[in-house]
């Protein structure tokens, strides 16, 4: 499984649904004017999010078609490996699920994110892609690109896919150390193969940022520029799955602050790609609406749903089992979506501990739910407090 994020809002997630978010870039105004404008924008944003919560229109749906993966990334949030569980849905079942969703929702309004594991190793996955296109869904995948060759690239183009996100975390050798031998070469070859096949959809690089990668951000950006990549989404690795067993890889306060400062500065120049920070949590007024083209929001269970490889109904694949709402094998997704998901839509339960006394809780609403192992657990991290801590102790914030 990929670490976003985000996605929770998958690969191209919130980016592809930019008409569904309130965009903001705080201008360099006088302090009072900027504060008034910021407050007005936040008010509109929160009103819109409140309406979406009440109406909960399904706009984004994860199909986690497998937990199998042909790589074994050292930080994988789901601890994926080459072995599939016997409980996984087969492609025939996924096709029936797609038809069910198309019957109950307007396909043109729902983005399907096909994820894993590595979705391209799922037997028959191109049959699912073809059916999604036939039904009228916009859909995309997140892939490590190992299986993208000239034949696969042609199949992807023929299937009508609109978004392809390739996982690539760092330049060259460092990327291979984190993801596996030849990971960089395979990703770069996939970019070339897709272009040669005539792919014209959204092509994005997703980088999961571990501590060793932070000093290499500019080198990575320059390499992506050479590859003519326009979309680059970056996310600090989450302390879940294998990453929880490798704390040396998880960025601390200084690295989080450095990462946010880097993205803030890089988004102000004219060089492509302009990095976009992930959807995770509130990041403070210095960065909100600037490091990403939307304000803090977690739409899990509000506009974003998900179906896991074993048939569990929930939201983002990174969420723990405690957030599952049903089982697609025995229940209709629409019925679950309309009658459950209270833990996602009523988030007063997040107002406890440090969050309970934080002045920004009304804006972040407890942060991203994938950072709660269960609804009863404490938040694993808060990027706002981490960046603030780095500033308060005077740690370096620039590379």
């Amino acid at each position: 499984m990929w670490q976003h994020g985000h996605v929770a809002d998958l690969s191209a997630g919130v980016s592809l649904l930019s008409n569904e978010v309130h965009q903001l870039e705080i201008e360099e105004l006088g302090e009072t004017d900027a504060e008034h404008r910021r407050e007005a924008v936040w008010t509109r944003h929160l009103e819109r999010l409140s309406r979406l919560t009440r109406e909960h229109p399904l706009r984004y749906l994860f199909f986690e078609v497998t937990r199998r993966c042909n790589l074994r990334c050292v930080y994988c949030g789901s601890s994926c490996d080459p072995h599939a569980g016997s409980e996984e849905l087969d492609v025939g079942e996924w096709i029936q699920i797609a038809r069910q969703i198309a019957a109950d929702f307007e396909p043109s309004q729902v983005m399907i994110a096909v994820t894993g594991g590595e979705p391209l190793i799922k037997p028959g996955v191109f049959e699912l892609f073809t059916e999604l296109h036939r039904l009228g869904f916009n859909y995309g995948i997140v892939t490590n690109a190992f299986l993208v060759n000239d034949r696969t690239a042609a199949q992807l183009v023929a299937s009508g896919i609109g978004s392809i996100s390739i996982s690539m975390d760092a330049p060259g050798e460092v990327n291979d150390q984190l993801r596996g031998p030849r990971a960089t070469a395979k990703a770069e070859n996939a970019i070339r193969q897709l272009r040669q096949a005539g792919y014209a959809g959204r092509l994005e690089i997703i980088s999961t940022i571990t501590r060793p990668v932070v000093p290499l951000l500019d080198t990575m950006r320059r390499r992506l520029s050479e590859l003519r990549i326009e979309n680059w989404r970056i996310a600090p690795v989450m302390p879940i799955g294998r990453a929880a067993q490798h704390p040396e890889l998880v960025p601390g306060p200084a690295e989080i602050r450095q990462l946010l400062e880097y993205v803030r500065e890089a988004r102000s120049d004219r060089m492509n790609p302009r990095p976009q920070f992930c959807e995770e949590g509130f990041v403070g007024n210095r960065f909100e609406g600037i490091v990403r083209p939307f304000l803090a929001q977690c739409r899990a269970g509000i506009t974003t749903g998900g179906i896991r490889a074993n048939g569990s109904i929930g939201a983002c694949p990174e969420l723990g089992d405690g957030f599952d709402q049903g089982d697609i094998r025995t229940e209709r997704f629409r019925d679950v979506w309309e009658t459950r998901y209270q833990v996602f839509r009523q988030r007063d339960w997040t107002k406890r501990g440090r969050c309970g006394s934080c002045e920004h809780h009304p804006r972040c609403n407890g942060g991203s739910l994938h950072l709660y192992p269960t609804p009863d657990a404490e938040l694993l991290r808060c990027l706002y407090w981490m960046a603030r801590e780095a500033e308060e102790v005077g740690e370096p914030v620039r590379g």
Side-chain angles (χ1 to χ4, degrees), residues 69-71 118 142-147 165-167 179 183 186-187:
C69 188
N70 49 347
L71 296 184
E118 169 51 52
V142 183
T143 176
N144 60 38
F146 257 66
L147 298 180
S165 297
I166 296 175
S167 299
R179 303 187 56 79
K186 287 289 188 178

Side-chain angles (χ1 to χ4, degrees), residues 3-6 8 77 235-241 243-244 250-251 256 277-283 292 297-298 300 308 316-320 323 344 347 349-350 352 355 364-386:
Q3 286 230 29
H4 77 103
H6 235 281
V237 67
M238 295 179 287
I240 60 177
V250 180
I256 292 297
F277 197 71
C278 67
E279 297 88 351
E280 183 185 329
F282 178 76
V283 290
R292 54 197 176 196
Q297 56 192 293
C298 172
R308 291 190 182 186
C316 309
E318 293 93 343
L319 288 166
F323 288 93
F344 295 92
R347 301 192 186 181
W349 58 270
T350 65
R352 59 178 187 242
C355 292
C364 84
N365 211 13
S368 298
L369 296 190
H370 62 268
L371 289 173
Y372 294 88
T374 68
D376 297 326
E378 293 299 318
L379 184 69
L380 290 176
R381 74 174 175 204
C382 172
L383 298 180
Y384 164 69
W385 281 105
M386 293 177 76

Side-chain angles (χ1 to χ4, degrees), residues 197-399:
Y199 177 66
R202 179 185 178 87
L203 183 60
E204 177 183 52
I205 295 296
I206 294 180
S207 297
T208 299
I209 306 301
T210 52
R211 187 171 287 178
V213 174
V214 175
L216 303 175
L217 289 168
D218 203 54
T219 304
M220 177 66 171
R221 188 186 186 199
R222 293 184 183 282
R223 180 55 185 153
L224 295 181
S225 181
E226 293 171 355
L227 294 168
R228 294 182 291 118
I229 294 295
E230 295 184 0
N231 303 296
W232 181 30
R233 196 147 55 95
I234 64 179
V237 67
M238 295 179 287
I240 60 177
R242 289 195 195 107
Q245 308 304 315
H246 291 279
E248 75 279 3
L249 295 178
V250 180
E255 289 86 13
I256 292 297
R257 181 70 186 227
Q258 184 175 349
L259 178 57
L260 288 167
E261 293 286 358
Y262 176 81
V263 176
R264 188 181 195 276
E265 184 173 339
R267 287 181 64 81
S268 68
D269 64 32
R270 297 184 178 183
M271 177 179 168
N272 274 332
R274 293 179 74 209
Q276 178 175 309
F277 197 71
C278 67
E279 297 88 351
E280 183 185 329
F282 178 76
V283 290
N285 288 333
R286 177 170 173 77
F287 304 109
E288 281 294 338
I290 299 175
V291 296
R292 54 197 176 196
F294 50 89
L295 295 175
Q297 56 192 293
C298 172
R299 293 194 178 200
I302 298 174
T303 61
T304 299
I307 302 169
R308 291 190 182 186
N310 65 0
S312 295
I313 297 173
C316 309
E318 293 93 343
L319 288 166
D321 296 346
F323 288 93
D324 289 347
Q325 301 295 298
D327 189 332
I328 198 65
R329 285 189 167 114
T330 59
E331 301 173 278
R332 201 168 185 91
F333 179 85
R334 178 191 60 193
D335 296 338
V336 176
W337 182 255
E338 292 297 338
T339 62
R340 299 178 204 168
Y341 284 88
Q342 288 85 0
V343 72
F344 295 92
R345 297 166 189 167
Q346 299 170 3
R347 301 192 186 181
D348 289 347
W349 58 270
T350 65
K351 200 168 185 180
R352 59 178 187 242
R354 196 176 201 178
C355 292
S357 59
C358 180
E359 63 178 318
H360 295 297
H361 186 276
R363 292 181 174 179
C364 84
N365 211 13
S368 298
L369 296 190
H370 62 268
L371 289 173
Y372 294 88
T374 68
D376 297 326
E378 293 299 318
L379 184 69
L380 290 176
R381 74 174 175 204
C382 172
L383 298 180
Y384 164 69
W385 281 105
M386 293 177 76
R388 180 171 168 175
E389 178 184 337
E391 182 179 41
E392 288 176 349
V393 300
E395 292 183 299
V397 297
R398 297 183 187 274

Side-chain angles (χ1 to χ4, degrees), residues 117-132:
E118 169 51 52
L120 292 182
I121 67 174
K122 182 73 172 179
V125 73
F126 281 97
E127 297 173 33
L128 173 62
F129 293 164
T130 300
E131 185 66 4
L132 289 172

Side-chain angles (χ1 to χ4, degrees), residues 57-78:
L58 182 67
R59 293 291 179 261
Y60 200 84
L61 184 61
F62 287 99
F63 278 15
E64 184 197 53
V65 295
T66 185
R67 283 291 180 102
R68 290 182 60 214
C69 188
N70 49 347
L71 296 184
R72 200 175 188 279
C73 300
V74 296
Y75 57 75
C76 180
S78 297

